[in-house]
Amino acid sequence: MNPTVVERLVTPADLDGVIEVERASFRNPTTREWYESELQRPEVCYLFVLRTEHARVSGFCAFWHVADQVHINNLAIRPELRSRGFGRILLQRVLDEAERLGACYATLEVRRSNVAARKLYEGAGCRLAGVRASYYTQPIEDALILSRATARGELLKQPQIGRR
């Protein structure tokens, strides 16, 4: 196996690994049933897994592609593998996929207190777009809404020069 591979999961084959990472990463983990239902809508729902020499599922990212936007629902790396650049590799692959899909923007929510995740997203060009008060539970906490334009989104922001 290559040191790192990121690929789209299209069958439930690796959901056990995804659920392991989910439970180790989040206070209020998403259920297996949710992920199974996501796999039933491949035109909108995407689940990418990060494979490394350390684990078949070293991390994952679930996101939706709707209209001109990609919304990242969950991104997590096994706790023992964090701070090694794997999150950056996975996020970059997801942002590349957003470009390929023709999305103009990528958005996500992150706990205000999750400094490591905020640094990851901000390092990838995500910026504060808003706040969802009391969005998270266990404990109750605000979510910061982060957004990033893709190259297509940036192009659409450029002034259009017309002919006279």
Side-chain angles (χ1 to χ4, degrees):
M1 175 188 311
N2 291 333
T4 57
V5 174
V6 179
E7 60 188 14
R8 186 173 183 190
L9 185 65
V10 293
T11 69
D14 286 316
L15 280 184
D16 288 342
V18 169
I19 297 304
E20 280 178 29
V21 177
E22 175 84 26
R23 288 184 179 152
S25 300
F26 300 112
R27 294 179 186 131
N28 192 12
T30 303
T31 65
R32 180 184 184 89
E33 292 76 23
W34 185 83
Y35 285 109
E36 287 172 347
S37 70
E38 293 293 279
L39 291 175
Q40 299 301 310
R41 302 182 309 147
E43 68 285 354
V44 173
C45 304
Y46 293 75
L47 181 56
F48 278 74
V49 293
L50 172 74
R51 304 190 190 285
T52 70
E53 59 199 16
H54 307 287
R56 180 163 174 78
V57 179
S58 293
F60 73 92
C61 182
F63 66 94
W64 294 329
H65 174 235
V66 180
D68 68 345
Q69 188 177 118
V70 160
H71 181 77
I72 297 172
N73 295 306
N74 291 335
L75 186 149
I77 303 296
R78 288 185 182 275
E80 67 274 16
L81 299 177
R82 292 181 187 154
S83 299
R84 297 185 187 188
F86 292 131
R88 190 174 58 251
I89 291 167
L90 181 57
L91 180 58
Q92 187 57 57
R93 176 65 178 87
V94 167
L95 294 173
D96 290 346
E97 184 68 7
E99 291 275 345
R100 190 191 72 73
L101 293 168
C104 293
Y105 300 95
T107 63
L108 60 102
E109 291 93 9
V110 63
R111 280 185 182 270
R112 185 183 295 273
S113 65
N114 192 340
V115 175
R118 289 173 55 191
K119 284 183 180 179
L120 171 68
Y121 298 128
E122 290 165 359
C126 295
R127 299 294 175 253
L128 182 64
V131 176
R132 294 190 199 283
S134 303
Y135 180 79
Y136 290 105
T137 60
Q138 301 178 14
I140 295 172
E141 185 175 355
D142 293 348
L144 302 181
I145 304 166
L146 302 181
S147 179
R148 176 188 187 270
T150 64
R152 181 171 186 239
E154 288 296 331
L155 184 62
L156 293 175
K157 287 186 200 176
Q158 299 298 318
Q160 300 299 312
I161 300 172
R163 294 183 190 177
R164 291 185 180 227

